[in-house]
Amino acid sequence: MPGCICIPAFLCTFAFQYKQLSVKIKEVLSALERFAPLPLQESWDNAGLQVGLTETEVSGALLCLDVNEKIVDEAMRKGCNLIVSHHPLLFRGLKTISDLTDVQRTVIKAIENHICVISMHTNMDNALGGVNFKIAEKLGMTDTAFFASKTIDGIEAGSGVIGTLHEPMAADDFVIKVKKAFDVECAMCNELLHRPVQKVAVCGGAGDFLLDEAIKAGADAFITGEMHYHQYFGYEQRIQICVIGHYQSEQFTSEIFRDILNRDCPDIKTFIAETCTNPILYI
C-alpha cells in the first residue's frame, strides 16, 4: 500500500523480546524476599518496600548500605529508578514530610524523581547465605553455619555465623587479617589471646548480644561491628574480641543484592554504590 512502511521481521521480533525483558519492582522485591523472607526480620525492624510503586518497570538498581540524599543523587546519575539498601530508609514512622531531617528530604527527593527504595535489613542478617555468611566468606572461612540458630515459619535462620579459618593464627596476625579484609583503619580488641585463633564467630552490625553465645559455640574469636564498652570486661583469654565498625562489617551486603538480582532478574542493570554513607570519621 502507498505510504506503508514495512518493518523487517527480525526488528519486530527484537522489539517483542525487548518488551518481554522488562522487569517490574514487584519482581525484584519478590526475588529479594525469596532469599531473605520478611518473617525473618526482628519485631522492631521495618524491612521491605520503603518508597515507590511496585508496578514500575526497573531502569536500573543501585545497591547500598544506607539511603540518603547523596545515594538518591547517585541513582539519578546512573539512570537507576530503584535503590536496594540494607538499612531501612524508613526505620521509625514519619509524622511529617518536610525538609527538616535528612530522612524526610531523602523521601521527598526519591518520590520527586520516581525512585523506588527497597530495604533488606535483619531478614538479610538472619538469612542463610546472608550478611554474616558474606563476612565469613571475606575471611576465607569454611564449615560455616549459624550459631544460636532458630526456626521461623519453618525456615532455618540465625543472627550469627561460626566457621573455621584455613589454619590457626596468632591473635595479632588474625586481627591484621581482619583489618585487611575489611579495609579498616583500626580494630577495637580486648587483650590479645595467648592461644591460636581458628574457630571464629561473626555478627555484622551491633552484635554484642551474641558474645556469650559465641563462647558457648566454642569460638576462639568474635567479630562484630559495635560493642558496648562494659562488654569488653571479663573476657580476657576466653575469646578474642575484634570490633571493626558497623559500616565496615556490613559493607559487602551490596554484593549479596547484586548476586541475587543477577541470578533472578538478569536483565536489570545493577550498580554497587560508590557513595560512602559511613557517618563516622576516623581522624
Side-chain angles (χ1 to χ4, degrees):
M1 292 179 61
C4 177
I5 300 175
C6 294
I7 301 176
F10 79 91
L11 287 179
C12 293
T13 302
F14 174 79
F16 175 76
Q17 290 176 338
Y18 180 79
K19 184 174 180 60
Q20 290 296 100
L21 293 177
S22 63
V23 179
K24 294 184 177 180
I25 297 294
K26 64 181 181 182
E27 296 173 71
V28 174
L29 190 59
S30 177
L32 291 167
E33 290 182 8
R34 282 196 300 272
F35 186 94
L38 290 183
L40 299 188
Q41 70 178 312
E42 302 296 336
S43 59
W44 44 262
D45 201 5
N46 186 40
L49 181 68
Q50 307 280 295
V51 175
L53 304 176
T54 59
E55 291 295 330
T56 303
E57 292 186 358
V58 181
S59 63
L62 183 67
L63 316 175
C64 59
L65 191 65
D66 311 285
V67 187
N68 59 21
E69 290 183 271
K70 291 181 179 179
I71 286 289
V72 176
D73 290 337
E74 183 176 346
M76 292 164 58
R77 289 196 304 272
K78 292 180 174 174
C80 297
N81 66 347
L82 172 62
I83 295 170
V84 180
S85 71
H86 181 44
H87 296 141
L89 171 60
L90 301 176
F91 189 70
R92 299 175 179 84
L94 293 180
K95 294 185 178 180
T96 304
I97 300 180
S98 67
D99 61 352
L100 292 178
T101 69
D102 178 62
V103 171
Q104 292 177 30
R105 291 191 297 271
T106 302
V107 170
I108 291 173
K109 181 171 283 192
I111 292 173
E112 285 181 339
N113 292 282
H114 307 286
I115 293 175
C116 298
V117 179
I118 294 172
S119 301
M120 296 282 113
H121 191 209
T122 53
N123 55 320
M124 188 61 71
D125 290 328
N126 291 332
L128 184 66
V131 175
N132 297 308
F133 285 91
K134 176 60 70 171
I135 294 171
E137 175 193 313
K138 292 296 179 180
L139 291 170
M141 290 163 56
T142 59
D143 303 319
T144 52
F146 292 121
F147 69 96
S149 62
K150 50 195 173 185
T151 301
I152 302 172
D153 288 357
I155 304 168
E156 183 187 9
S159 300
V161 165
I162 193 164
T164 307
L165 299 175
H166 286 300
E167 57 185 20
M169 304 182 70
D172 54 348
D173 290 334
F174 168 73
V175 173
I176 291 171
K177 177 183 177 69
V178 173
K179 288 175 62 178
K180 287 182 178 178
F182 293 88
D183 191 26
V184 298
E185 299 176 40
C186 64
M188 293 182 287
C189 305
N190 63 339
E191 178 181 275
L192 289 178
L193 209 61
H194 294 166
R195 67 174 190 272
V197 171
Q198 186 164 30
K199 198 169 186 179
V200 179
V202 303
C203 182
D208 53 9
F209 66 99
L210 283 178
L211 181 56
D212 289 329
E213 293 292 340
I215 293 172
K216 289 178 185 177
D220 300 309
F222 179 63
I223 301 171
T224 190
E226 291 182 44
M227 263 187 55
H228 289 88
Y229 171 77
H230 291 286
Q231 286 202 260
Y232 287 85
F233 288 100
Y235 291 94
E236 296 83 3
Q237 300 310 313
R238 296 178 65 195
I239 193 168
Q240 182 63 63
I241 296 170
C242 187
V243 179
I244 60 175
H246 197 124
Y247 178 94
Q248 290 86 343
S249 69
E250 297 181 327
Q251 62 185 297
F252 300 114
T253 305
S254 296
E255 294 182 7
I256 306 173
F257 298 150
R258 178 197 61 198
D259 293 344
I260 294 169
L261 298 189
N262 286 350
R263 182 191 66 212
D264 294 350
C265 304
D267 300 306
I268 294 177
K269 294 183 294 183
T270 58
F271 304 88
I272 290 180
E274 299 175 69
T275 303
C276 177
T277 56
N278 188 359
I280 300 172
L281 298 178
Y282 300 87
I283 299 174

